[in-house]
């Protein structure tokens, strides 16, 4: 590790190298913003480790099983999981070199083209505030009629169902309360955000572990009905299902079923990059981010690629159109049908905490990305204002205002708007992953050209650059096939909903490209030192654990 950072320090003192870097058309992009970047490192190791390790609980897998069948859903979730992992490994390695404000949008500006950074930064901001609004709706939408099925959240429809069970008459009040709580958690400071996410992560980890055990008990016949399910649902109705777009060609229809689940799987994985976005406000960021990213692989493997298809058949009507507490969640459906009466309400309560956690983390990400854009003069300068404790208060307040878009759930005509938000979120997430992988390929090439050994960084992946190439290819395909079903029954509104993000993204790119006359960075122009704190500046001494409980904490966190 020392050799790489010695090389960094040598380059900092190389005046000729700095002059070369500044002879390009991107000299309007400030690289060193240490004097204006006032955020403080207040997130502790346990905060960032639990944020990375905890899964995002979702009942959306029920809809996935109903659409593609158990094996089809498993294939889709595994494929999207591999792309999410490739993107996280890419941004993790870049963050290991540069744990600075702005995260991957700034990396794109710094090592690819400032126009790409501008486009991906604003795209990500819009995606995240859409997501915050969408996450709030499931908690507060309390009327469960056919029209509100369109409001079913990306990952957490069980939360909506639970509050419906308690109260179906005060949607506006609950929406405002949730908005205020999420905003307050972020306004009070990053420490409150970290503690809230730490508590939610413990709840989610405990609940998902319990669900896995309960699912195994149900599958093996230990539930009150004593029915041993095994793999019977894989035989009848089968391992695959389809959307009935091609009923005469079952193999093709099953394949289309897998494609239909891609967007649902993407919803479950989006947001993992929060650990990289939080790096500038994390203690010992290089060491902690590296540890967190290594754990994400097991999160994907254990918590998302599961065995939901063993405990409920894919043709169960409640997977898509259920009512009451059994709607959509395969675990809730299996519990109800196997005679377990208490746990479904507990599951839905857990889904509420996951909904709140998702909205909380997305609000944090959107505000920090907005702050990073402002630091590099790609957003209004006023957004860089921070409190004495290092909170980018203006960026946070600006992001908070968009949470109240969730009040549209009160209107009976809001279904179309939220359908757009959901599709924009998925497509925006794909563009985010796409830009991360593109940036990493440029980053990798620049390091090689300048003779910097990436193996000396705190985090590096031996499968690179092939991981980023894998992610890049699949992201392009995901963007193209996201709305494929519209071509079977073409509708202009559905087509725009599925693909409007493409012209929006490239419009942002071309706007900044033309107005600022930006150029793509060459490998010899890439700056891997300016404005980047050294290892000695960010990493404190490693304190070995003492005693039993400190060893336990070291393993867990």
């Amino acid at each position: 590790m020392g050799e790489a950072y010695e090389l960094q320090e040598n380059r900092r003192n190389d005046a000729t190298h700095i002059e070369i870097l500044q002879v390009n058309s991107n000299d309007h992009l400030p690289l060193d913003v240490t004097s204006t970047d006032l955020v403080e490192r207040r997130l502790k190791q346990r905060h960032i480790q639990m944020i990375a390790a905890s899964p995002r609980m979702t009942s959306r897998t029920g809809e996935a099983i109903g659409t593609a069948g158990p094996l089809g859903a498993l294939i889709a979730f595994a494929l999207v999981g591999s792309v999410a992992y490739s993107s996280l490994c890419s941004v993790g390695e870049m963050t290991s070199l540069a744990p600075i404000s702005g995260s991957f949008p700034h990396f794109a500006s710094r090592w690819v083209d400032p126009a790409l950074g501008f486009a991906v930064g604003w795209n990500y901001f819009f995606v995240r505030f859409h997501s915050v609004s969408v996450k709030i709706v499931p908690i507060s939408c309390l009327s469960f009629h056919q029209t509100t099925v369109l409001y079913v959240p990306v990952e957490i429809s069980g939360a909506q169902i639970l509050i419906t069970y308690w109260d179906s008459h005060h949607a506006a009040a609950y929406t405002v309360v949730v908005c205020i709580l999420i905003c307050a958690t972020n306004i009070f400071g990053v420490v409150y955000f970290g503690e809230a996410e730490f508590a939610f992560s413990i709840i989610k980890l405990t609940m998902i572990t319990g669900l896995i055990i309960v699912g195994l008990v149900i599958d093996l016949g230990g539930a009150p009905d004593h029915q041993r399910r095994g793999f019977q649902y894989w035989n009848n109705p089968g391992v695959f299902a389809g959307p009935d777009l091609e009923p005469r060609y079952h193999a093709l229809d099953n394949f289309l079923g897998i494609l239909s689940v891609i967007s649902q799987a993407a919803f479950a994985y989006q947001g993992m990059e929060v650990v990289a976005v939080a790096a500038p406000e994390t203690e010992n960021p290089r060491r902690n981010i590296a540890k967190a990213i290594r754990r994400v692989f097991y999160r994907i493997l254990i918590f998302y690629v599961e065995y939901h298809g063993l405990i409920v058949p894919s043709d169960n009507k409640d997977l898509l159109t259920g009512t009451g507490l059994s709607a959509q969640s395969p675990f809730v459906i299996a519990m109800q049908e196997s005679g377990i009466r208490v746990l479904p309400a507990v599951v839905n309560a857990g889904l509420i905490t996951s909904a709140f956690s998702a909205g909380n983390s997305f609000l944090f990400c959107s505000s920090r990305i907005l702050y990073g854009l402002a630091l590099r003069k790609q957003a209004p300068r006023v957004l860089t204002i921070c409190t004495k404790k290092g909170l980018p208060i203006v960026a946070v307040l600006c992001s908070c205002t968009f949470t109240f878009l969730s009040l549209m759930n009160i209107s009976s005509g809001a279904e179309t708007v939220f359908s757009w938000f959901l599709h924009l979120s998925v497509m925006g997430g794909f563009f985010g992953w796409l830009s991360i992988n593109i940036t990493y390929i440029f980053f990798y090439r620049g390091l090689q050209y300048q003779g910097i050994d990436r193996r000396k960084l705190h985090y590096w992946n031996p499968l690179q650059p092939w991981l980023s190439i894998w992610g890049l290819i699949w992201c392009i395909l995901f963007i193209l096939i996201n709305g494929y079903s519209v071509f079977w029954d073409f509708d202009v509104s559905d087509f725009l909903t599925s693909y409007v993000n493409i012209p929006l993204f490239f419009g942002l790119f071309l706007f900044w490209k033309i107005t600022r006359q930006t150029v793509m960075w060459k490998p010899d122009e890439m700056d891997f030192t300016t404005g980047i704190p050294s290892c000695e500046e960010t990493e404190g001494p490693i304190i070995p654990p003492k005693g039993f409980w400190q060893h336990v904490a070291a393993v867990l966190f």
Side-chain angles (χ1 to χ4, degrees), residues 183-397:
C183 292
T185 304
N186 281 268
I187 291 172
F188 287 158
V190 70
V191 174
Y192 289 88
F193 165 79
E195 294 298 345
E197 287 303 297
F198 181 78
F200 291 140
S201 296
I202 291 177
I203 293 173
K204 288 187 289 183
L205 283 170
T206 302
M207 181 155 292
I208 197 65
T209 302
L211 287 177
I212 292 174
I213 295 173
V214 169
L216 186 61
V217 170
I218 293 174
D219 189 61
L220 296 178
D225 65 350
H226 300 296
Q227 178 185 348
R228 183 182 176 91
R229 289 162 174 79
F231 282 86
Q232 65 173 328
Y233 296 141
W234 287 48
N235 295 321
N236 182 27
V239 295
F240 291 105
D244 291 328
L245 294 176
E246 292 290 345
R248 294 181 298 173
Y249 305 99
H250 294 293
L252 176 59
D253 198 54
N254 291 338
F255 175 71
L256 296 177
I258 296 174
L259 297 187
S260 299
V261 176
I262 294 295
S263 62
Q264 299 167 20
F267 275 126
Y269 291 113
Q270 288 179 5
M272 288 184 173
E273 63 281 352
V274 64
V275 294
V277 176
E281 297 175 74
T282 303
E283 294 179 354
N284 305 312
R286 291 181 167 99
R287 191 159 63 236
N288 285 324
I289 297 302
K291 187 176 182 180
I293 290 175
R294 291 188 182 101
R295 290 184 172 183
V296 169
F297 174 78
Y298 301 101
R299 164 182 164 180
I300 294 173
L301 183 65
I302 297 174
F303 295 129
Y304 286 124
V305 185
E306 298 169 0
Y307 52 85
H308 298 86
L310 298 180
I311 58 178
V312 63
S314 60
D315 59 356
N316 187 298
K317 58 182 176 56
D318 288 335
L319 286 174
L320 293 173
T321 59
T323 58
L325 289 176
S326 64
Q328 291 216 357
S329 171
F331 284 114
V332 172
I333 294 172
M335 290 175 189
Q336 295 255 325
E337 295 188 347
S338 62
I340 300 175
R341 301 303 177 192
V342 178
L343 288 180
V346 177
V347 172
N348 289 328
L351 291 174
I352 278 195
T353 65
S354 184
F356 190 94
S357 175
N360 193 37
S361 60
F362 285 152
L363 179 57
F364 173 85
C365 286
S366 63
S367 64
R368 272 35 177 201
I369 292 298
L370 194 60
Y371 173 72
L373 289 169
L375 284 174
R376 273 81 187 192
K377 299 181 180 179
Q378 295 176 321
R381 194 69 174 175
V382 68
L383 295 168
T384 63
I385 295 176
C386 293
T387 64
K388 293 181 179 180
K389 293 185 177 181
L391 175 71
I393 185 64
V394 178
V396 171
L397 291 175

Side-chain angles (χ1 to χ4, degrees), residues 159-178:
Q160 175 191 20
I161 301 166
L162 177 66
I163 299 185
T164 301
Y165 180 72
W166 286 344
D167 188 342
S168 59
H169 303 291
H170 302 90
Y174 284 111
T175 300
V176 172
V177 168
V178 173

Side-chain angles (χ1 to χ4, degrees), residues 353-518:
T353 65
S354 184
F356 190 94
S357 175
N360 193 37
S361 60
F362 285 152
L363 179 57
F364 173 85
C365 286
S366 63
S367 64
R368 272 35 177 201
I369 292 298
L370 194 60
Y371 173 72
L373 289 169
L375 284 174
R376 273 81 187 192
K377 299 181 180 179
Q378 295 176 321
R381 194 69 174 175
V382 68
L383 295 168
T384 63
I385 295 176
C386 293
T387 64
K388 293 181 179 180
K389 293 185 177 181
L391 175 71
I393 185 64
V394 178
V396 171
L397 291 175
C398 180
S399 300
C400 285
T401 59
F402 292 102
T403 64
F404 292 93
L405 289 174
S406 56
L407 288 169
M408 288 190 298
N409 75 75
I410 302 169
S411 169
S412 60
E415 297 90 346
T416 302
V417 177
F418 269 94
S419 176
W420 276 66
F421 280 0
L422 289 171
H423 282 278
L424 283 170
S425 296
V426 172
M427 288 291 283
F430 287 149
F431 273 107
W433 290 350
L434 176 72
S435 65
I436 287 172
N437 288 296
I438 290 175
T439 302
Y440 181 83
I441 293 172
F442 277 75
F443 169 82
Y444 182 89
R445 185 181 64 166
L447 290 181
Q448 278 196 320
Y449 186 90
Q450 297 188 24
I452 301 176
D453 188 358
R454 49 185 284 272
R455 294 174 297 179
K456 303 297 183 180
L457 300 175
H458 276 80
Y459 176 79
W460 67 282
N461 194 299
L463 298 179
Q464 293 286 21
W466 306 111
L467 267 181
S468 57
I469 294 173
W470 168 269
L472 173 63
I473 293 172
W474 280 109
C475 282
I476 294 173
L477 293 176
F478 290 163
I479 290 171
L480 294 177
I481 67 174
N482 180 59
Y484 79 93
S485 60
V486 72
F487 297 105
W488 267 258
D489 185 16
F490 189 81
D491 180 81
V492 174
S493 177
D494 291 341
F495 178 80
L496 290 176
T497 301
S498 300
Y499 293 105
V500 69
N501 219 36
I502 296 178
L504 286 178
F505 183 87
F506 285 104
L508 288 169
F509 177 85
L510 291 175
F511 167 75
W512 202 253
K513 185 81 173 173
I514 295 171
T515 58
R516 294 300 187 274
Q517 297 293 303
T518 66

